[in-house]
Amino acid sequence: MAHVGDVNLFGMRVLAVKGRTLDLECQACRTHGVAMADEFQSTRCGSPACASSQGRTE
């Protein structure tokens, strides 16, 4: 389970844990978002500023 202050590989930091969801902040552009706790390690920032720099080739 993720905890407040944890940062994943993509630079998303946990701001708050709300049950099974997490409030997140991108370390690069400071955009806020929400993700399911079990998807935290694979969650990337979706802002236009970051999306082009994260190698989205899926």
Side-chain angles (χ1 to χ4, degrees), residues 1-53:
M1 182 68 168
H3 302 284
V4 173
D6 288 355
V7 179
N8 72 8
L9 181 66
F10 303 106
M12 299 300 291
R13 183 170 57 95
V14 178
L15 298 177
V17 178
K18 297 179 179 177
R20 295 177 49 174
T21 63
L22 305 173
D23 286 346
L24 303 174
E25 177 185 60
C26 176
Q27 296 287 81
C29 71
R30 303 294 186 216
T31 298
H32 292 101
V34 177
M36 295 300 295
D38 58 348
E39 297 175 358
F40 171 61
Q41 292 303 327
S42 61
T43 300
R44 299 178 182 196
C45 181
S47 75
C50 287
S52 63
S53 67

